[in-house]
Amino acid sequence: MYRIALCDDEQAEIIKTQNMLTGYRNLNPALDFEISTYENAQELLSKVQEGYTPDMILLDIYMEGKTGIEAAKELREMKNQSRVIFLTTSEKHAVEAFRVDAAQYLVKPVSEKELFALLDKQFEILNAEKQKYVILQTNNKTFRITVQDIVYCEAQGKRQYLHLSDGTQICVRLSLTVLEELFSQYEEIIRVGKWYIININHVEGLDSQAVQLDNGMKLYLPRGSYQSLRKQYITYYAGVLL
């Protein structure tokens, strides 16, 4: 079952969007999801802090107290990877939405046609992510690793160390080139210089010197790699936001 969180401080908007979500579910009976509603950002954030993990968050921007952008920033600081969709009355926050890894940005009033098309795409992505994994073997153990859980991989001689989002570290005896080929079908997994493979979904920021990852790790970039990495990063998220 998927979880959808709907956060808006206007009750009429909550009811309207909730009714459209229910209509979408009626058209897709094989798609199982539950809807939880929140009337302010802090209520949603508190629930997430308690362990609630929605797959998708439909989030208004203009709310009393914390704005939707502020809430999304806090969610990312909490390492929450939910797909955030902003529903708002203005286009001017689109760049800010990009900075907090928004999956989509719709301007109110949102029509049923717009929302249904968005949901089709988001559920397609969520279904695909559940099926994205790699099989690795080390020390007579076989690991089935979900791609979205991979933060980065670091080469140390003939060994490669995979660092996962839960803090786990897995060592495999493969060359970085072989590992790169294994991940080649996943556009979010990219090679950076001679020593690293990183998952763009876990990048919090980057500059000409280093990449900041959401597990707190900072990877210093080899000379000449920044422009290429920046281009791949922007291209990837531009595609996600389409």
Side-chain angles (χ1 to χ4, degrees), residues 20 79 141 146-147 210 219:
M20 286 194 288
K79 315 306 180 190
K141 292 183 179 180
T146 303
V147 172
L219 304 180

Side-chain angles (χ1 to χ4, degrees), residues 111-160:
S111 69
E112 187 177 86
K113 181 179 179 180
E114 287 178 303
L115 185 62
F116 283 14
L118 178 148
L119 292 171
D120 284 343
K121 180 175 181 178
Q122 298 309 315
F123 279 119
E124 180 181 352
I125 292 171
L126 287 169
N127 286 329
E129 285 180 347
K130 285 195 171 184
Q131 298 172 23
K132 290 163 65 173
Y133 63 87
V134 293
I135 303 294
L136 295 172
Q137 187 167 351
T138 180
N139 296 330
N140 299 318
K141 292 183 179 180
T142 300
F143 296 88
R144 183 180 185 275
I145 304 171
T146 303
V147 172
Q148 64 182 349
D149 290 334
I150 298 170
V151 181
Y152 75 102
C153 175
E154 179 181 12
Q156 294 186 17
K158 295 182 179 180
R159 292 183 174 86
Q160 315 304 321

Side-chain angles (χ1 to χ4, degrees), residues 77-110:
E77 288 169 1
M78 289 190 280
K79 315 306 180 190
N80 179 275
Q81 297 295 315
S82 301
R83 300 191 67 76
V84 174
I85 294 96
F86 286 113
L87 308 179
T88 187
T89 55
S90 172
E91 297 179 351
K92 71 178 184 179
H93 295 286
V95 173
E96 291 178 279
F98 171 82
R99 290 173 181 160
V100 293
D101 300 343
Q104 188 56 281
Y105 189 101
L106 294 181
V107 177
K108 295 178 181 179
V110 176

Side-chain angles (χ1 to χ4, degrees), residues 147-181:
V147 172
Q148 64 182 349
D149 290 334
I150 298 170
V151 181
Y152 75 102
C153 175
E154 179 181 12
Q156 294 186 17
K158 295 182 179 180
R159 292 183 174 86
Q160 315 304 321
Y161 289 86
L162 273 75
H163 299 262
L164 308 184
S165 57
D166 64 358
T168 301
Q169 179 178 286
I170 296 175
C171 175
V172 293
R173 283 183 170 273
L174 294 172
S175 70
L176 198 64
T177 298
V178 170
L179 205 58
E180 180 184 16
E181 291 174 356

Side-chain angles (χ1 to χ4, degrees), residues 45-57:
L45 292 169
S46 295
K47 195 68 175 178
V48 171
Q49 287 174 329
E50 293 171 4
Y52 174 58
T53 54
D55 297 285
M56 198 183 309
I57 300 174

